[in-house]
Amino acid sequence: MTQRAIVALCSVTLVQAYLLVNVLPYSAYLVIHLCKNVTVEEAGPYAASLATSFMLGRTISAQFWGNLADVYGRRLVLILSLIGSGLASLWFGFASTYRSCLLARGMLGAVNSTVGVTKTLATELARKLSDDAEQLDASRSANTSSANSRSQDAVETRVVGLVVSMRAWGFLIAPACAGFLSDPLKTRE
């Protein structure tokens, strides 16, 4: 069960990273498409605002999500975050004005609470994994407490490192996919 939970955390972290950076390759084109009076030379600040609104939403809501996770549980917060992220992504995808895109990206950041929660859960799951392994190997001698501590630290480092590294994969994959899909009709001609 713990290993499935770690795979789920890795997936959530990958999706979160994808949602954060997938707008970067096409944001300037989107601005030009949505704002008819904006030229190519003027699109930069609008595109930056579109990209920045995600982190603004996250910054405003981070404390709220952390408190909610402590009171009602991390699993519930991750589920709510994924549902909210899906709905905000749909809103962004169907937005027909720049303002609507900006608000959708801000809302996407506001409901995306996964960074702190996944790191905390990864640490807790690693400790549980270490404790389970320690219970299975109860035949060790009494002098292995420092070795158990080192083993627990090693498991925690591996699990947290794996979960956090999924952000890097998301940052790698998202721009490539978004760039390829940014204007599919023109790229396939």
Side-chain angles (χ1 to χ4, degrees):
M1 182 65 169
T2 304
Q3 291 176 339
R4 283 193 311 188
I6 292 169
V7 169
L9 280 181
C10 288
S11 301
V12 167
T13 305
L14 180 72
V15 166
Q16 179 277 330
Y18 184 91
L19 292 174
L20 175 62
V21 298
N22 79 329
V23 74
L24 299 178
Y26 60 83
S27 58
Y29 300 114
L30 182 64
V31 167
I32 293 167
H33 174 74
L34 294 175
C35 304
K36 300 301 181 196
N37 58 342
V38 175
T39 65
V40 174
E41 293 80 17
E42 299 169 332
Y46 292 95
S49 296
L50 200 57
T52 304
S53 61
F54 183 97
M55 290 308 290
L56 180 64
R58 180 184 286 167
T59 302
I60 291 170
S61 68
Q63 186 69 39
F64 166 77
W65 285 111
N67 291 339
L68 200 68
D70 288 342
V71 173
Y72 295 104
R74 297 176 207 333
R75 183 174 185 259
L76 175 67
V77 168
L78 282 178
I79 290 170
L80 290 175
S81 178
L82 289 171
I83 291 170
S85 294
L87 293 173
S89 293
L90 285 172
W91 178 15
F92 180 75
F94 287 111
S96 58
T97 65
Y98 174 74
R99 181 174 295 179
S100 183
C101 284
L102 196 63
L103 291 172
R105 284 286 295 174
M107 183 57 68
L108 184 56
V111 298
N112 197 304
S113 65
T114 60
V115 173
V117 176
T118 54
K119 287 180 184 177
T120 303
L121 266 174
T123 303
E124 291 170 352
L125 288 172
R127 288 183 184 148
K128 182 174 177 6
L129 197 61
S130 293
D131 292 344
D132 291 349
E134 190 175 301
Q135 288 175 358
L136 289 174
D137 195 16
S139 63
R140 293 183 181 170
S141 68
N143 295 333
T144 61
S145 63
S146 64
N148 289 344
S149 175
R150 284 191 300 265
S151 174
Q152 185 174 6
D153 290 345
V155 170
E156 187 175 326
T157 300
R158 281 196 308 266
V159 171
V160 173
L162 178 65
V163 171
V164 172
S165 72
M166 288 292 121
R167 284 179 57 95
W169 282 105
F171 291 164
L172 178 71
I173 294 167
C177 290
F180 182 72
L181 297 172
S182 64
D183 195 356
L185 297 178
K186 285 187 180 177
T187 57
R188 308 304 181 279
E189 290 178 353

